[in-house]
Amino acid sequence: MAEQPEDLAAHPDPPAGSTQDTPARRVAWIVVLATVAAGVGLVAAVDVPPDDGARSAAEALLPPDGSASVLTYADGSEWTIESAYSTGLPFLLQQPNGAGGHQSSRLDAAGQDAGQTRFWRQTWTDHARQRGQLVELYELADDGVRQLTITGGQNGFSFSPGVLVLPSDIQPGSTWSSEGDSLPGGLITYTSTGSAEAADDGCLLVTLTMDHRDPAQADATVLETVDRTTWCPGRGGVDSEYTSVSGGETTDGGAVSVPLTEPEPLDAATETPNLDIADAEDWTVSEMPLVIRDPLFGESTIHGATDSRSVMTASGVAVINTGPEIVAYRQGEGESVREWIAHPGGEIVRLGAFGDVVLVSTTDRIVQAYDDRGRRGWRATFADIVQAPPVADGEGGVLLVGLDGEVRRVDLEDGDERWSVKLSGDADAAPAVADGRVFTADRSGVLRAFALDDGSPLWETELERGALITADEERVFVTTDDGNTLAWDAETGEPRWTSAFDGSPVSSAIIGSTLVVQGADGTTAYSLQGDIEWSIPASAGLIPTADAVLLLDSDEVLLVDEAGTVRERWNVGEADAGRARTLLPSNDGVWLLSNDFSVTEVGAP
């Protein structure tokens, strides 16, 4: 566990990426490192059983994948800590190059296949939103749990070899030691000793002592830390006391970790990114690098893979799915910098953004909320996976649809349930909300309307399986997989019209008095009376504005008004073979996010 990180922001930092520095700055920097070196043991305490995948006595002490806790210091400052596990390169690729590359090289030099190495990671997110996210990476090695890196804060470590925190066969009476470099190139070295004794309820009291030395000062000790952490099976560290000595100054402290069971409410404002197309004629096309900027390890360009599922918050944070977790980048001048990583547990199924609240549904049958700084909020549990996209209700709530047909309206701020109904069949279509009504379609072929305020049924009618639902105050529209767009009276459910649609529908929106539907074969616009107004062969993305839509074609982004006139067009080039692109709104224009993490921005210069 760390001494209070926020207390140390005033300490000087070495130049980004530096491996050499003056003795004075080196000592000052080591003082900062005491904040994360003191008690590397205290981790997220959780209230669930240990993971069945634990391969040793040490791993049985760790918290489960996707678990979270609140870490509280004596002054009341708090951090949320999430745990995640992975095998192979993903966690290394998410590190700054100076840390991840260093660890990859170390593993290679040791003859160890990084692709088969198991890792445990913790992310620390400040409740006060005053400090950036800290990331701790551990190796689940044959000889125990070894800490490899600490990154993301004012400073960090990259140990070689990793510090042995818990030996694999740990038990009361165990002792152990490790030694090596605290930083690449031997800038600082370390020695560490540990011991374990029995504690209550099957827990272990682990004492870990570390001595950091500076070779440039005749191996003078620049930092000593002693940490006493109580570890409990399947819970991690539950409390810790620590002492650090540096520069003749001694610091004592402690912290307690408890399960995150009652998270603080989130800001439920539901505004969307302020996409202003008034000056669209001045927009240009440019590349938008996604980078990590670390005070110690410097700037790194992101490499990785995504299925392109992503959302943008109102504050300009792009949240991107990588499979088991989401990664968030805040827009800046000419680049976007990574702010946080979140791992709710399971594989990501759907994302939604409502103002600065991000909702994530996963294969663990949960919906997890985060704010735009990565702080974990409420969690809702379902009987089945929530596959349909979440939909805002316009009154501070959100509608969630489980695959088993449950429709649940919850408060966006704290996740409290307002009402829940069960459809007659499975459901994977997003609902629509308009004028106090909620419209749903299930796989059994029934379109239903419910009252938004209490979920009471209003009407229902049969239809072919609906893929897309859109509604306004007077009508509800459904575009089906069998090639039709249909309309019903929103109040009574009486049918109004049916019109043809080519291809499988993907997205839809109402702009002015026009219904726009995009499918795999192009985009079609209907009058609200059912006449086809225009059609454009753009099938790769749709973003509505008040009186126009932005469409992505194979090599262009088009701005098309309600009448079907192409007002502006920007050549973005064709995607390379195997690259899929997603169109995202931003405050300055639109993003084209590729599944290789490259971004092209069309927007204000």
Side-chain angles (χ1 to χ4, degrees), residues 99 103 140 156 206 213 234 240 305 360 401 406 469 521 543 555:
Q103 293 299 327
L140 302 180
V206 174
R213 295 177 179 266
S240 179
V360 188
V401 179
E406 180 189 1
I469 311 173
D521 298 329
I543 295 175
D555 61 354

Side-chain angles (χ1 to χ4, degrees), residues 103-299:
Q103 293 299 327
S104 295
S105 297
R106 180 189 64 79
L107 292 171
D108 185 63
Q112 186 173 341
D113 183 1
Q116 299 300 316
T117 301
R118 297 183 304 127
F119 297 98
W120 167 47
R121 189 196 66 208
Q122 291 194 121
T123 54
W124 296 41
T125 304
D126 181 14
H127 283 205
R129 302 165 62 103
Q130 295 175 352
R131 294 292 302 272
Q133 189 179 68
L134 306 178
V135 179
E136 295 181 313
L137 184 64
Y138 297 79
E139 179 185 354
L140 302 180
D142 290 340
D143 63 351
V145 177
R146 288 182 173 268
Q147 182 165 39
L148 303 183
T149 67
I150 302 173
T151 60
Q154 291 296 311
N155 291 284
F157 287 112
S158 185
F159 297 107
S160 178
V163 178
L164 186 60
V165 177
L166 301 170
S168 59
D169 58 353
I170 190 170
Q171 59 182 321
S174 294
T175 61
W176 62 92
S177 63
S178 57
E179 62 181 7
D181 295 338
S182 303
L183 286 172
L187 175 62
I188 302 295
T189 64
Y190 79 89
T191 58
S192 174
T193 60
S195 63
E197 58 186 276
D200 294 337
D201 301 322
C203 301
L204 292 175
L205 176 59
V206 174
T207 300
L208 191 68
T209 300
M210 293 194 69
D211 180 12
H212 295 263
R213 295 177 179 266
D214 185 356
Q217 299 184 62
D219 283 334
T221 296
V222 291
L223 173 66
E224 291 179 280
T225 63
V226 179
D227 172 78
R228 291 168 60 83
T229 295
T230 302
W231 292 76
C232 296
R235 298 182 62 198
V238 298
D239 59 58
S240 179
E241 295 180 353
Y242 56 80
T243 299
S244 65
V245 181
S246 181
E249 295 186 6
T250 300
T251 302
D252 297 304
V256 176
S257 179
V258 298
L260 178 63
T261 56
E262 296 183 4
E264 299 174 10
L266 303 176
D267 183 358
T270 55
E271 68 272 13
T272 58
N274 184 25
L275 180 55
D276 186 358
I277 63 172
D279 298 322
E281 66 272 11
D282 298 325
W283 287 5
T284 60
V285 179
S286 60
E287 297 303 307
M288 173 65 75
L290 302 179
V291 302
I292 300 173
R293 183 170 295 125
D294 188 277
L296 173 66
F297 295 106
E299 184 170 300

Side-chain angles (χ1 to χ4, degrees), residues 523-536:
T523 302
T524 300
Y526 304 87
S527 72
L528 299 186
Q529 290 71 45
D531 298 321
I532 295 178
E533 300 290 332
W534 49 266
S535 182
I536 292 177

